[in-house]
Amino acid sequence: MAFFTVVWKYTDDAELIDRARGAHAAYLKEQVAAGLVRVAGPFEDGTGGVLVAEVADQAELKSLLDGDPYVAQGVVVDSQIYPFKPVLGALAG
């Protein structure tokens, strides 16, 4: 398994974000319960968010992200993905 940090920038369309928020939250809760998303949350200013996923590879990560309503409904306008190696804290192995 590998860790990836995903940094998202959201659209400025507040109505679109509001419409997608419930489905997005439900989806992420399912992924947390499945152990694929380890931590997630928005920036305090609402311009984007971060999640840390633990998946087999980038193909599984792509599938995970593509299934998120924020991606599918166009809330996410930019996505940066970084392989991540936790060495300290709760995620460190």
Side-chain angles (χ1 to χ4, degrees):
M1 297 296 276
F3 285 96
F4 294 90
T5 300
V6 179
V7 180
W8 281 340
K9 179 173 176 13
Y10 300 157
T11 180
D12 293 333
D13 185 341
E15 289 181 22
L16 176 60
I17 294 170
D18 287 344
R19 283 194 308 272
R21 183 175 288 122
H24 164 71
Y27 179 78
L28 284 183
K29 286 178 185 177
E30 290 174 4
Q31 303 315 310
V32 168
L36 298 175
V37 172
R38 300 297 300 270
V39 64
F43 299 138
E44 285 191 13
D45 66 2
T47 61
V50 173
L51 67 85
V52 175
E54 184 178 16
V55 293
D57 52 31
Q58 284 191 319
E60 185 177 9
L61 178 66
K62 181 178 179 353
S63 178
L64 173 81
L65 299 178
D66 287 349
D68 190 300
Y70 267 15
V71 173
Q73 295 180 34
V75 171
V76 175
V77 296
D78 185 57
S79 183
Q80 301 293 317
I81 298 171
Y82 304 95
F84 176 62
K85 182 181 177 181
V87 295
L88 296 172
L91 299 180

